[in-house]
Amino acid sequence: MADKQISLPAKLINGGIAGLIGVTCVFPIDLAKTRLQNQQNGQRMYTSMSDCLIKTIRSEGYFGMYRGAAVNLTLVTPEKAIKLAANDFFRHHLSKDGKKLTLLREMLAGCGAGTCQVIVTTPMEMLKIQLQDAGRIETAVEHLANQCSLCSSPAAQKKLMAAQAQLSSAAGAAEPAVETRTTAMQITRELLRSKGIAGLYKGLGATLLRDVPFSIVYFPLFANLNKLGQKDPNVKAPFYVSFLSGCVAGSTAAVAVNPCDVIKTRLQSLQRGVNEDTYSGILDCTKKIWQKEGPMAFLKGAYCRALVIAPLFGIAQVVYFIGIAEFLLDMLPKHRA
């Protein structure tokens, strides 16, 4: 990143614009990632990202791929703004002596940025995951209902009733969730009513476990890759170098912390399919996944996450380096004292 000082408002605006553009482009892939990570052995509805997206369009329509997007689009602006601005803030204060940042200090700056962003990330992810995974649960219940209609077994009927009761209870609605779509506001009100603000911050520890290592890997890797394209330390790297550096650093960091993302997704999911495990915490979740699904389960959705994060952070860094916010702020009339 160039040494040129950028105002805090410009950093926040750039981060917000980048987040809005990025989320709009890659949200369907993120939905596929969530559903692939949440399905457990014996409940496999999807075999791959493409299979998940095709089945989602067939059962829920095109806009089914954007379930939960409104939450992300609303909160991604403060989340990305905090992340990018905090990283710059920590980098600036860790290099006050004017010396070049060491790798350790770059990692500390990333750690600080990752820690700050979870204030917004945790409730955003909590609400987004419920909405993204709702379609998988609803489809599973409908599939079970079709099977039961062909089978008069009392055990099968009891299984269906239990699944429908579980779905309605998790959605916090009086009517069956298969008939009405739960909204983010309904989930928020139900969580605040039953568990208070802590309900929105379920999985905070797992979110920290994912986002802090991610930022420790991403920001130093991006900064060093971007420097390779700078002919002069005082001149910004070319447009394409910033984009590629963001893509490579983002996808690398995403795959590196994917096991933590799987654990976070499982812990934050309120709805469960028939016979799916519940978890009491990070260690319990890790143990059950390892024992029942094997170590490869921690890589579920890894390629989806890489496909989400690569363009997301590539776009973010391009917007940040182009300086769209600086251009917009320069157009505002200057107030004289």
Side-chain angles (χ1 to χ4, degrees):
M1 211 174 270
D3 292 334
K4 175 187 173 183
Q5 292 301 307
I6 304 172
S7 67
L8 181 60
K11 291 174 184 176
L12 298 178
I13 294 170
N14 278 331
I17 292 171
L20 290 172
I21 296 171
V23 166
T24 303
C25 294
V26 303
F27 194 83
I29 303 174
D30 187 63
L31 179 136
K33 182 221 57 151
T34 298
R35 293 188 178 185
L36 288 169
Q37 286 182 340
N38 260 338
Q39 64 177 8
Q40 301 178 22
N41 287 354
Q43 299 291 329
R44 290 177 60 85
M45 292 178 57
Y46 314 111
T47 58
S48 64
M49 179 186 73
S50 58
D51 180 56
C52 178
L53 293 176
I54 290 169
K55 288 179 178 176
T56 298
I57 293 172
R58 285 176 180 170
S59 61
E60 303 168 56
Y62 174 79
F63 290 105
M65 295 190 298
Y66 282 89
R67 289 184 76 168
V71 174
N72 252 35
L73 291 171
T74 302
L75 297 178
V76 74
T77 299
E79 188 222 18
K80 287 291 178 286
I82 289 171
K83 189 184 189 85
L84 294 171
N87 181 65
D88 268 11
F89 173 83
F90 287 116
R91 286 179 69 90
H92 173 70
H93 285 278
L94 287 170
S95 62
K96 281 199 299 186
D97 54 5
K99 295 181 181 178
K100 180 182 176 182
L101 277 176
T102 62
L103 180 60
L104 178 60
R105 290 195 174 194
E106 287 183 332
M107 293 173 71
L108 285 173
C111 177
T115 303
C116 290
Q117 80 169 77
V118 298
I119 297 169
V120 176
T121 302
T122 305
M124 179 182 77
E125 290 278 311
M126 182 69 186
L127 295 173
K128 182 197 73 171
I129 285 171
Q130 313 318 314
L131 296 170
Q132 285 183 328
D133 203 41
R136 181 183 71 91
I137 303 296
E138 291 166 10
T139 303
V141 173
E142 288 174 4
H143 180 66
L144 183 60
N146 291 334
Q147 287 183 324
C148 289
S149 65
L150 301 174
C151 175
S152 58
S153 167
Q157 296 292 337
K158 186 180 290 187
K159 192 175 182 181
L160 173 61
M161 291 175 64
Q164 290 177 330
Q166 185 180 21
L167 184 58
S168 295
S169 174
E175 298 177 14
V178 292
E179 294 180 6
T180 58
R181 285 193 174 185
T182 306
T183 65
M185 286 303 298
Q186 287 175 328
I187 296 170
T188 302
R189 284 197 297 266
E190 178 63 21
L191 285 171
L192 290 174
R193 184 190 65 78
S194 60
K195 299 180 181 179
I197 192 69
L200 288 172
Y201 280 87
K202 183 182 180 182
L204 175 62
T207 306
L208 279 168
L209 196 62
R210 181 196 68 172
D211 288 351
V212 171
F214 178 92
S215 296
I216 289 174
V217 173
Y218 172 78
F219 284 110
L221 182 56
F222 168 79
N224 285 282
L225 287 173
N226 196 62
K227 283 177 186 175
L228 296 176
Q230 288 180 281
K231 295 180 179 179
D232 187 289
N234 297 317
V235 179
K236 289 182 179 180
F239 177 93
Y240 67 90
V241 172
S242 296
F243 178 78
L244 291 175
S245 298
C247 288
V248 172
S251 57
T252 301
V255 174
V257 302
N258 196 74
C260 301
D261 190 54
V262 172
I263 294 168
K264 183 199 73 67
T265 300
R266 295 282 182 95
L267 287 174
Q268 288 189 317
S269 296
L270 298 176
Q271 300 179 10
R272 302 287 177 192
V274 181
N275 298 327
E276 288 187 342
D277 288 327
T278 55
Y279 311 103
S280 59
I282 294 173
L283 292 178
D284 180 56
C285 181
T286 304
K287 181 181 177 182
K288 286 180 178 177
I289 292 174
W290 183 279
Q291 290 178 342
K292 297 185 178 181
E293 302 175 58
M296 290 304 294
F298 291 104
L299 293 178
K300 282 185 175 181
Y303 65 97
C304 291
R305 185 161 162 76
L307 288 174
V308 167
I309 297 297
L312 193 64
F313 278 83
I315 292 168
Q317 292 300 342
V318 168
V319 170
Y320 210 58
F321 275 79
I322 288 175
I324 294 176
E326 290 89 326
F327 174 76
L328 294 174
L329 291 173
D330 285 342
M331 292 177 67
L332 294 176
K334 298 287 190 286
H335 293 282
R336 294 181 180 178

